[in-house]
Amino acid sequence: MPAPIRLRELIRTIRTARTQAEEREMIQKECAAIRSSFREEDNTYRCRNVAKLLYMHMLGYPAHFGQLECLKLIASQKFTDKRIGYLGAMLLLDERQDVHLLMTNCIKNDLNHSTQYVQGLALCTLGCMGSSEMCRDLAGEVEKLLKTSNSYLRKKAALCAVHVIRKVPELMEMFLPATKNLLSEKNHGVLHTSVVLLTEMCERSPDMLAHFRKLVPQLVRILKNLIMSGYSPEHDVSGISDPFLQVRILRLLRILGKSDDDSSEAMNDILAQVATNTETSKNVGNAILYETVLTIMDIKSESGLRVLAINILGRFLLNNDKNIRYVALTSLLKTVQTDHNAVQRHRSTIVDCLKDLDVSIKRRAMELSFALVNGNNIRGMMKELLYFLDSCDPEFKADCASGVFLAAEKYAPSKRWHIDTIMRVLTTAGSYVRDDSVPNLIQLITNSVEMHAYTVQRLYKALLDDISQQPLVQVASWCIGEYGDLLVSGQCEEEEPIQVTEDEVLDVLEGLLVSNLSTPVTRGYALTAIMKLSTRFSSVNRIKKVVSIYGSSIDVELQQRAVEYNALFKKYDHMRPALLERMPIMEKTATNGPTEIVQTNGETEPSVVEAKHPPPVTQPANQANDLLDLLGGNDVVPVIQTTMPTKPASAGGELLDLLGDLSLSGIPPMTAYSKNGLKIDFTFERANPNPNIAVITIHASNSTEADMTDFVFQAAVPKTFQLQLLSPSSNVVPALNQGTVTQVIRVLNLQKQQLRMRIKLTYTHKGSPVQDLAEVNNFPPQSWHAHPSLGLIG
Amino acid sequence: MNSAHRQGKLRLQKWYTATAERDKKKMVRELMQTVLARKPKMCSFLEWRDLKIVYKRYASLYFCCAIEEQDNELITLEVIHRFVELLDKYFGSVCELDIIFNFEKAYFILDEFLMGGEIQDTSKKSVLKAIEQADLLQEVTWTPGVTSM
């Protein structure tokens, strides 16, 4: 039998194949030869054959018949065989294979082999892909090797131990004694792998973490030596001494320093040193700085250090290297909650990143920009964000639009600005706006009573330009239906009123009905709008005609509406005005988060309503006792019983209370903290659509005679919860209850456990700093029971 | 951590978590498509499933590493660079063909440099020396008559 062809020969041959089919043929031929060679138990060439098989496996061809051969190679005494055998094992014999366990004995023997390179192979294989059973069987051997003085083996044993612990965490204890003097090693390989091992242990076990805290001084010393020592050619990377080890140590310090004051203090100096002395011209230096920043932010560092860290990130943002900019944005996003003010200083740089070419950077910049929006910068920020919305990729538009709406709602300086912003979004990114935005916008518009004329005029003009963006069209139709009378009477105060006749308006609405661009939902809106105008316009006959035409529409929804509206004209004409009267101010549901007083610049509006209170009347309303006396669109009528704007009551002969229950989550507010004149109340809402998220608004008030400045509220929850703290309305709690600071907390409570929270308050009062910690345990039971809230407009 | 691949052809791959063959193929395909679609001006990181992918292009080869959320992307770039340097030193100005024809050696180097996704030794000299010694050992233990793979 001729010798099997050599590996390189095979590779060369296969690469000459011009088609997939040709390649497949060659592979099959060679596989057949290899298979018969295996059958003959040829020891000499087994190694070569397996190597060829591994090559073919890498090309994507099956190689399972080589598994047992790998085992034979591992068992062989020849180093060549073992080398290929173990490689094959790592590629073909992962723990999902039946024969995986057969390796155990060989590995055990090889771990005790006289040649360190054989031992190394065994450690490597075990450490890369050993199964839990294998790890259990061989942990003792690994532990032994961890104590050897041979640094080549010791470093490998350390990483192997890491794998064992990952697979079988209970075995962690047995490695503890061997870790005693790992850090006194001079060899960088051992040092590096030891730090990895210690990190793994500390991450997995709080006891280990406590135990290893005492290593902090030693770690600090090692790090210091690395920085201060002169050039060491063996470990130098672009002028920095062993950056890999530095980064690993920084990471371990992070874990040890987290929530521990003493450890954090012990590492303050070295962190400052690394932060200021590291060369930043190359990626290596920045990698170390990055890790340093992460550590500073996570431990209990003093504020000066934190500011230093954020400034480093700020400098990163200006770096030419986009990778650096990217990690900066990511890190800033993580810290924006806790160090909001420090991050604000870099706002303009962040906003510039919106114009970056890289998608990932743009996304980060967008998220961060939204996090930085507050009452003071809303106008400027919104300009940038709207510009971004205009020009960004479609994948961003939906999120950006939602973000704009949210920010506008929270911080709009005036109603007019708010409406304008909404209009801008609808006209530029109207088709990307989320479906649930439409009812929210409608609600917003309804509640901005004095802007109705302006709003409907602007929407009407937008419709004349473009009817393709459905959300815009829907909102516009709804508004025209509600406020069409204002439109034709030219009542707009905010800008030049346009001259529009009833017929022109009806033309536009009818146009929507017939257009191909309109979706069925939009058509529904349009039809209802036309119907509503029958009580606001005088061209009732035209409307009647339109409505009756659609009574035989193919679209079932339209047909139903038309038929019912027809019925309104015919049998229930006396009810029509009442049914189609102006919508009252709606109570806000939990869809948009917390209710807040809209911050204005001199234009104060007690805008959105609090839960459970009846809607206030902001205009001198005609208290119409007689429901029928409402033709001609008077303003808001405080009618508690409302009707759905899209579907009137079906035949029943009386006004039905369709939406009786407008109650919200019905969770009572509570006082979370009251001490030294500072009182903090919590109010609750549930976020729709996710009922597992509780939205808590804190209201901090101050009954003493001096202001509380630099007020910072922080909160922590048990591990089964997740918490997100949004930015506060301000840092000053004015004295004598003259105002409140509000802040929103969102808590995700997937396991529906009882909500508990620990809060930390810091502020300056009469010149001295005050700090207090408290537990909040008196959450009402409803705050963690999930039930869906009711939507308002269908 | 996965390693090198070219315009659609995989040259090396190293998995540190047990994954079904089928899933591996799927992931590699997906990853390749995503990475190859990246334009030169874009940054070296991307989010993929719940991992971060760090990639760097050297001539015709893309080297990709999948790391976890809490890992440092910038140092991973250095890890990739170190690996390429090792290959370069070993093969003497490495090119793609070297890796194709000597894939098993490339694996040996990788396995001497990383274990379970972590660096074994931060000294280039140390890693290369170990490989050298192992190669010598291999020379010595060939079966008479057979001189190479």
Side-chain angles (χ1 to χ4, degrees), chain B residues 102-116:
Chain B
N102 299 287
F103 73 96
E104 87 277 15
K105 301 212 176 100
Y107 270 114
F108 294 152
I109 297 175
L110 183 60
D111 288 335
E112 194 61 41
F113 176 49
L114 298 174
M115 192 199 295

PDB file of all heavy atoms in Angstrom, chain B residues 102-116:
ATOM      1  N   ASN B 102      -0.162  25.680   6.577  1.00  0.00           N
ATOM      2  CA  ASN B 102       0.353  25.228   7.875  1.00  0.00           C
ATOM      3  C   ASN B 102      -0.650  25.478   8.974  1.00  0.00           C
ATOM      4  O   ASN B 102      -0.299  25.946  10.056  1.00  0.00           O
ATOM      5  CB  ASN B 102       1.657  25.972   8.196  1.00  0.00           C
ATOM      6  CG  ASN B 102       2.712  25.708   7.172  1.00  0.00           C
ATOM      7  OD1 ASN B 102       3.287  24.616   7.106  1.00  0.00           O
ATOM      8  ND2 ASN B 102       2.966  26.691   6.320  1.00  0.00           N
ATOM      9  N   PHE B 103      -1.899  25.180   8.686  1.00  0.00           N
ATOM     10  CA  PHE B 103      -2.960  25.526   9.626  1.00  0.00           C
ATOM     11  C   PHE B 103      -2.733  24.884  10.985  1.00  0.00           C
ATOM     12  O   PHE B 103      -3.019  25.479  12.016  1.00  0.00           O
ATOM     13  CB  PHE B 103      -4.338  25.156   9.079  1.00  0.00           C
ATOM     14  CG  PHE B 103      -4.621  23.677   9.081  1.00  0.00           C
ATOM     15  CD1 PHE B 103      -5.319  23.082  10.120  1.00  0.00           C
ATOM     16  CD2 PHE B 103      -4.176  22.879   8.045  1.00  0.00           C
ATOM     17  CE1 PHE B 103      -5.564  21.728  10.120  1.00  0.00           C
ATOM     18  CE2 PHE B 103      -4.420  21.528   8.039  1.00  0.00           C
ATOM     19  CZ  PHE B 103      -5.123  20.937   9.082  1.00  0.00           C
ATOM     20  N   GLU B 104      -2.155  23.664  10.984  1.00  0.00           N
ATOM     21  CA  GLU B 104      -1.999  23.001  12.277  1.00  0.00           C
ATOM     22  C   GLU B 104      -0.984  23.757  13.128  1.00  0.00           C
ATOM     23  O   GLU B 104      -1.139  23.862  14.345  1.00  0.00           O
ATOM     24  CB  GLU B 104      -1.637  21.522  12.103  1.00  0.00           C
ATOM     25  CG  GLU B 104      -0.171  21.203  11.953  1.00  0.00           C
ATOM     26  CD  GLU B 104       0.343  21.371  10.516  1.00  0.00           C
ATOM     27  OE1 GLU B 104      -0.355  22.004   9.691  1.00  0.00           O
ATOM     28  OE2 GLU B 104       1.439  20.879  10.238  1.00  0.00           O
ATOM     29  N   LYS B 105       0.021  24.334  12.477  1.00  0.00           N
ATOM     30  CA  LYS B 105       1.002  25.110  13.237  1.00  0.00           C
ATOM     31  C   LYS B 105       0.374  26.391  13.783  1.00  0.00           C
ATOM     32  O   LYS B 105       0.650  26.814  14.909  1.00  0.00           O
ATOM     33  CB  LYS B 105       2.199  25.450  12.352  1.00  0.00           C
ATOM     34  CG  LYS B 105       2.903  24.252  11.795  1.00  0.00           C
ATOM     35  CD  LYS B 105       4.405  24.483  11.610  1.00  0.00           C
ATOM     36  CE  LYS B 105       5.096  23.237  11.132  1.00  0.00           C
ATOM     37  NZ  LYS B 105       5.353  23.231   9.673  1.00  0.00           N
ATOM     38  N   ALA B 106      -0.488  27.002  12.961  1.00  0.00           N
ATOM     39  CA  ALA B 106      -1.177  28.207  13.432  1.00  0.00           C
ATOM     40  C   ALA B 106      -1.990  27.876  14.682  1.00  0.00           C
ATOM     41  O   ALA B 106      -2.026  28.647  15.641  1.00  0.00           O
ATOM     42  CB  ALA B 106      -2.069  28.772  12.336  1.00  0.00           C
ATOM     43  N   TYR B 107      -2.637  26.740  14.659  1.00  0.00           N
ATOM     44  CA  TYR B 107      -3.401  26.310  15.834  1.00  0.00           C
ATOM     45  C   TYR B 107      -2.495  26.104  17.037  1.00  0.00           C
ATOM     46  O   TYR B 107      -2.829  26.474  18.158  1.00  0.00           O
ATOM     47  CB  TYR B 107      -4.143  25.004  15.548  1.00  0.00           C
ATOM     48  CG  TYR B 107      -5.527  25.194  14.976  1.00  0.00           C
ATOM     49  CD1 TYR B 107      -5.819  24.779  13.680  1.00  0.00           C
ATOM     50  CD2 TYR B 107      -6.537  25.777  15.727  1.00  0.00           C
ATOM     51  CE1 TYR B 107      -7.084  24.944  13.148  1.00  0.00           C
ATOM     52  CE2 TYR B 107      -7.810  25.957  15.195  1.00  0.00           C
ATOM     53  CZ  TYR B 107      -8.073  25.537  13.900  1.00  0.00           C
ATOM     54  OH  TYR B 107      -9.332  25.718  13.378  1.00  0.00           O
ATOM     55  N   PHE B 108      -1.329  25.479  16.794  1.00  0.00           N
ATOM     56  CA  PHE B 108      -0.420  25.243  17.916  1.00  0.00           C
ATOM     57  C   PHE B 108      -0.037  26.565  18.565  1.00  0.00           C
ATOM     58  O   PHE B 108       0.040  26.684  19.784  1.00  0.00           O
ATOM     59  CB  PHE B 108       0.851  24.518  17.452  1.00  0.00           C
ATOM     60  CG  PHE B 108       0.612  23.110  16.965  1.00  0.00           C
ATOM     61  CD1 PHE B 108       1.450  22.533  16.013  1.00  0.00           C
ATOM     62  CD2 PHE B 108      -0.454  22.362  17.439  1.00  0.00           C
ATOM     63  CE1 PHE B 108       1.237  21.238  15.560  1.00  0.00           C
ATOM     64  CE2 PHE B 108      -0.683  21.066  16.984  1.00  0.00           C
ATOM     65  CZ  PHE B 108       0.165  20.499  16.039  1.00  0.00           C
ATOM     66  N   ILE B 109       0.239  27.562  17.715  1.00  0.00           N
ATOM     67  CA  ILE B 109       0.618  28.868  18.245  1.00  0.00           C
ATOM     68  C   ILE B 109      -0.533  29.472  19.042  1.00  0.00           C
ATOM     69  O   ILE B 109      -0.354  29.984  20.151  1.00  0.00           O
ATOM     70  CB  ILE B 109       1.038  29.819  17.113  1.00  0.00           C
ATOM     71  CG1 ILE B 109       2.283  29.270  16.415  1.00  0.00           C
ATOM     72  CG2 ILE B 109       1.295  31.228  17.638  1.00  0.00           C
ATOM     73  CD1 ILE B 109       2.717  30.065  15.209  1.00  0.00           C
ATOM     74  N   LEU B 110      -1.726  29.393  18.466  1.00  0.00           N
ATOM     75  CA  LEU B 110      -2.899  29.937  19.165  1.00  0.00           C
ATOM     76  C   LEU B 110      -3.069  29.267  20.517  1.00  0.00           C
ATOM     77  O   LEU B 110      -3.354  29.916  21.522  1.00  0.00           O
ATOM     78  CB  LEU B 110      -4.151  29.739  18.305  1.00  0.00           C
ATOM     79  CG  LEU B 110      -5.453  30.305  18.854  1.00  0.00           C
ATOM     80  CD1 LEU B 110      -5.343  31.808  19.052  1.00  0.00           C
ATOM     81  CD2 LEU B 110      -6.621  30.011  17.931  1.00  0.00           C
ATOM     82  N   ASP B 111      -2.896  27.946  20.550  1.00  0.00           N
ATOM     83  CA  ASP B 111      -3.094  27.209  21.797  1.00  0.00           C
ATOM     84  C   ASP B 111      -1.988  27.443  22.805  1.00  0.00           C
ATOM     85  O   ASP B 111      -2.152  27.158  23.985  1.00  0.00           O
ATOM     86  CB  ASP B 111      -3.227  25.709  21.513  1.00  0.00           C
ATOM     87  CG  ASP B 111      -4.548  25.369  20.858  1.00  0.00           C
ATOM     88  OD1 ASP B 111      -5.510  26.159  21.053  1.00  0.00           O
ATOM     89  OD2 ASP B 111      -4.638  24.365  20.146  1.00  0.00           O
ATOM     90  N   GLU B 112      -0.871  27.946  22.347  1.00  0.00           N
ATOM     91  CA  GLU B 112       0.206  28.272  23.273  1.00  0.00           C
ATOM     92  C   GLU B 112      -0.010  29.691  23.810  1.00  0.00           C
ATOM     93  O   GLU B 112       0.476  30.024  24.892  1.00  0.00           O
ATOM     94  CB  GLU B 112       1.554  28.174  22.541  1.00  0.00           C
ATOM     95  CG  GLU B 112       2.774  28.166  23.453  1.00  0.00           C
ATOM     96  CD  GLU B 112       2.812  26.993  24.416  1.00  0.00           C
ATOM     97  OE1 GLU B 112       2.477  25.855  24.012  1.00  0.00           O
ATOM     98  OE2 GLU B 112       3.149  27.201  25.596  1.00  0.00           O
ATOM     99  N   PHE B 113      -0.714  30.503  23.064  1.00  0.00           N
ATOM    100  CA  PHE B 113      -0.941  31.905  23.426  1.00  0.00           C
ATOM    101  C   PHE B 113      -2.198  32.085  24.283  1.00  0.00           C
ATOM    102  O   PHE B 113      -2.198  32.796  25.282  1.00  0.00           O
ATOM    103  CB  PHE B 113      -1.041  32.724  22.142  1.00  0.00           C
ATOM    104  CG  PHE B 113      -1.356  34.174  22.331  1.00  0.00           C
ATOM    105  CD1 PHE B 113      -0.660  34.953  23.252  1.00  0.00           C
ATOM    106  CD2 PHE B 113      -2.342  34.801  21.577  1.00  0.00           C
ATOM    107  CE1 PHE B 113      -0.958  36.304  23.418  1.00  0.00           C
ATOM    108  CE2 PHE B 113      -2.636  36.144  21.731  1.00  0.00           C
ATOM    109  CZ  PHE B 113      -1.952  36.897  22.657  1.00  0.00           C
ATOM    110  N   LEU B 114      -3.287  31.411  23.884  1.00  0.00           N
ATOM    111  CA  LEU B 114      -4.549  31.554  24.604  1.00  0.00           C
ATOM    112  C   LEU B 114      -5.024  30.211  25.127  1.00  0.00           C
ATOM    113  O   LEU B 114      -4.804  29.182  24.505  1.00  0.00           O
ATOM    114  CB  LEU B 114      -5.646  32.104  23.697  1.00  0.00           C
ATOM    115  CG  LEU B 114      -5.489  33.477  23.084  1.00  0.00           C
ATOM    116  CD1 LEU B 114      -6.623  33.729  22.110  1.00  0.00           C
ATOM    117  CD2 LEU B 114      -5.484  34.542  24.144  1.00  0.00           C
ATOM    118  N   MET B 115      -5.708  30.230  26.264  1.00  0.00           N
ATOM    119  CA  MET B 115      -6.388  29.030  26.734  1.00  0.00           C
ATOM    120  C   MET B 115      -7.730  29.447  27.303  1.00  0.00           C
ATOM    121  O   MET B 115      -7.788  30.383  28.112  1.00  0.00           O
ATOM    122  CB  MET B 115      -5.557  28.331  27.833  1.00  0.00           C
ATOM    123  CG  MET B 115      -6.082  26.928  28.139  1.00  0.00           C
ATOM    124  SD  MET B 115      -5.559  26.257  29.724  1.00  0.00           S
ATOM    125  CE  MET B 115      -3.822  26.108  29.513  1.00  0.00           C
ATOM    126  N   GLY B 116      -8.798  28.800  26.886  1.00  0.00           N
ATOM    127  CA  GLY B 116     -10.112  29.166  27.403  1.00  0.00           C
ATOM    128  C   GLY B 116     -10.428  30.629  27.147  1.00  0.00           C
ATOM    129  O   GLY B 116     -11.212  31.247  27.860  1.00  0.00           O
TER     130      GLY B 116
END
